[in-house]
Amino acid sequence: MKKILITGGAGFIGAHVVRLFVNQYPEYQIFNLDALTYAGNLENLKDIENAPNYTFLKGDITDENFIHQSFENHKFTDVIHLAAESHVDRSIDDPLAFAKTNILGTMILLNAFKSLWGTSWASHRFYHVSTDEVYGTLGEDGLFLETTPYDPNSPYSASKASSDHFVRAYGETYGLPYVISNCSNNYGPHQFPEKLIPLFINNILEKKQLPVYGDGNYTRDWLYVIDHARAIDMVFHRGENHETYNIGGFNEWKNIDLVKELCKQMDQKMGQKQGTSEHLITFVKDRPGHDLRYAIDASKIENNLGWSPSVTFEEGLSITIDWYLNNTSWLDHVRNGSYKNYIKNN
């Protein structure tokens, strides 16, 4: 029986992955390990918290003794590693925190996995979930390929690039059976409102300014989080060892165009006059090391594993807005910190 450890499973992407695996694979035992920092919220998983094949473990991937003891106690057969510090602005303020979690934490997991299964790898897998930001920035043309050289420009992307390198090094040095995926910007339900889309939904609801960096022409490829969870499922089960898979939404949007689309949909859904929310847009000083453009070529996972996005960006954005408008209590709990009471009570 597979006993899969999913790290960061109370976070945004992790919660969707945990839910998918718990519901789709009742024969697996799913262990969700999360430190429950500011972005970890067990309310994201209330619908499956009592499932017989689900176990929550509170702990930090940088706690070496805890991690090794957990591997020894539960004999995890596989790891899907999503736990990470992931916000670029926070990495600029505190780069050491990102190095500790994203680099050291990954190495501690690798060592624990190697200690448990290093002489019998055959039926096990270490899946490392990474980001397209490790590739740096693109000009007006071109796409990130799995073979694109790494060129990170922020402390966050540098820490993720380093963790990718360590996973590959363990594969080459110790024979670790790994797969890596590098994804584009995710959006969807349950995202912590420090990221652009939920932040701006919240600000529109509160009639606050919508701060857009620079001239707003920075371009990103947007991936609906449930499509990302589906891709992770496919890579975990069908990907080839020692391979990397880029996962993108085939949805390139300039930030300013995205914000205007968000404003348009919010006005429609809130019954406001068109242009009401757009008046909240405010251009602010750019952040240091801001990458101009990310765009992923996801043809490898599409051609080799049969994955493709299920929604366009406009469709996914509409679903996302509806979720936040219908779950304002979740948003309130995140804003005022009361979601932490749920952790204490449960």
Side-chain angles (χ1 to χ4, degrees):
M1 181 180 65
K2 283 190 175 297
K3 302 173 78 173
I4 303 173
L5 175 67
I6 300 178
T7 68
F12 169 47
I13 300 172
H16 287 280
V17 175
V18 167
R19 179 178 295 103
L20 185 152
F21 273 73
V22 167
N23 288 332
Q24 192 155 315
Y25 302 103
E27 71 277 19
Y28 295 173
Q29 286 295 316
I30 305 301
F31 294 82
N32 170 13
L33 172 64
D34 201 291
L36 298 180
T37 57
Y38 74 96
N41 185 353
L42 286 177
E43 285 188 324
N44 295 345
L45 293 164
K46 288 172 68 174
D47 56 317
I48 56 99
E49 65 184 2
N50 295 317
N53 64 331
Y54 171 72
T55 302
F56 174 71
L57 303 172
K58 185 178 186 298
D60 193 325
I61 60 171
T62 66
D63 184 340
E64 188 171 7
N65 289 334
F66 170 79
I67 292 298
H68 278 269
Q69 193 62 54
S70 296
F71 272 79
E72 185 61 35
N73 291 344
H74 299 290
K75 301 293 190 295
F76 306 124
T77 60
D78 306 87
V79 176
I80 302 176
H81 177 35
L82 295 112
E85 294 283 354
S86 65
H87 195 242
V88 175
D89 289 353
R90 288 179 181 268
S91 79
I92 294 171
D93 292 336
D94 189 4
L96 286 178
F98 282 67
K100 181 180 179 183
T101 298
N102 297 350
I103 303 173
L104 181 60
T106 300
M107 293 185 68
I108 288 172
L109 287 168
L110 289 167
N111 281 338
F113 191 68
K114 180 172 73 71
S115 295
L116 188 60
W117 302 113
T119 58
S120 55
W121 292 122
S123 59
H124 307 286
R125 168 158 284 180
F126 190 102
Y127 182 175
H128 180 57
V129 179
S130 190
T131 172
D132 60 353
E133 296 191 37
V134 299
Y135 299 124
T137 186
L138 291 167
E140 294 294 330
D141 302 312
L143 298 169
F144 291 138
L145 305 173
E146 286 82 359
T147 54
T148 298
Y150 277 26
D151 189 21
N153 290 315
S154 71
Y156 161 61
S157 57
S159 67
K160 289 297 290 185
S162 179
S163 64
D164 290 4
H165 290 323
F166 272 109
V167 172
R168 290 192 178 96
Y170 273 61
E172 291 299 318
T173 304
Y174 306 111
L176 178 87
Y178 74 84
V179 285
I180 296 175
S181 61
N182 297 82
C183 70
S184 58
N185 283 31
N186 279 225
Y187 71 97
H190 295 105
Q191 189 171 25
F192 194 82
E194 66 180 359
K195 299 298 178 76
L196 190 151
I197 289 176
L199 173 65
F200 280 22
I201 291 172
N202 178 65
N203 283 10
I204 290 171
L205 289 172
E206 296 192 338
K207 302 190 184 309
K208 293 181 178 179
Q209 290 184 343
L210 308 178
V212 177
Y213 280 127
D215 59 6
N217 286 319
Y218 294 96
T219 301
R220 298 294 183 262
D221 175 20
W222 291 89
L223 174 64
Y224 186 49
V225 66
I226 294 175
D227 283 336
H228 188 194
R230 289 175 44 243
I232 288 173
D233 179 19
M234 288 186 179
V235 172
F236 176 79
H237 285 100
R238 296 162 52 190
E240 294 186 27
N241 277 336
H242 294 195
E243 289 289 332
T244 297
Y245 297 87
N246 281 349
I247 307 172
F250 300 99
N251 282 308
E252 277 191 67
W253 283 72
K254 290 185 177 180
N255 285 352
I256 189 60
D257 294 334
L258 182 155
V259 174
K260 288 180 178 179
E261 175 66 22
L262 174 60
C263 289
K264 183 182 80 173
Q265 291 200 25
M266 287 290 287
D267 286 344
Q268 290 173 345
K269 293 174 185 294
M270 296 172 68
Q272 299 179 155
K273 180 182 177 182
Q274 281 297 313
T276 300
S277 298
E278 202 168 310
H279 287 303
L280 299 172
I281 295 174
T282 304
F283 293 95
V284 298
K285 182 181 178 181
D286 212 348
R287 73 184 179 203
H290 202 162
D291 292 332
L292 174 65
R293 175 174 168 260
Y294 304 146
I296 274 186
D297 181 345
S299 58
K300 179 177 178 179
I301 188 173
E302 186 176 38
N303 295 334
N304 293 8
L305 304 184
W307 175 89
S308 62
S310 66
V311 294
T312 66
F313 179 72
E314 292 90 342
E315 292 168 339
L317 182 62
S318 178
I319 296 168
T320 300
I321 293 171
D322 287 343
W323 186 87
Y324 281 99
L325 293 179
N326 293 326
N327 291 273
T328 53
S329 61
W330 182 93
L331 197 55
D332 290 340
H333 289 175
V334 171
R335 285 184 302 208
N336 62 31
S338 62
Y339 71 94
K340 296 177 182 177
N341 295 330
Y342 181 84
I343 297 169
K344 294 177 182 177
N345 296 332
N346 291 272

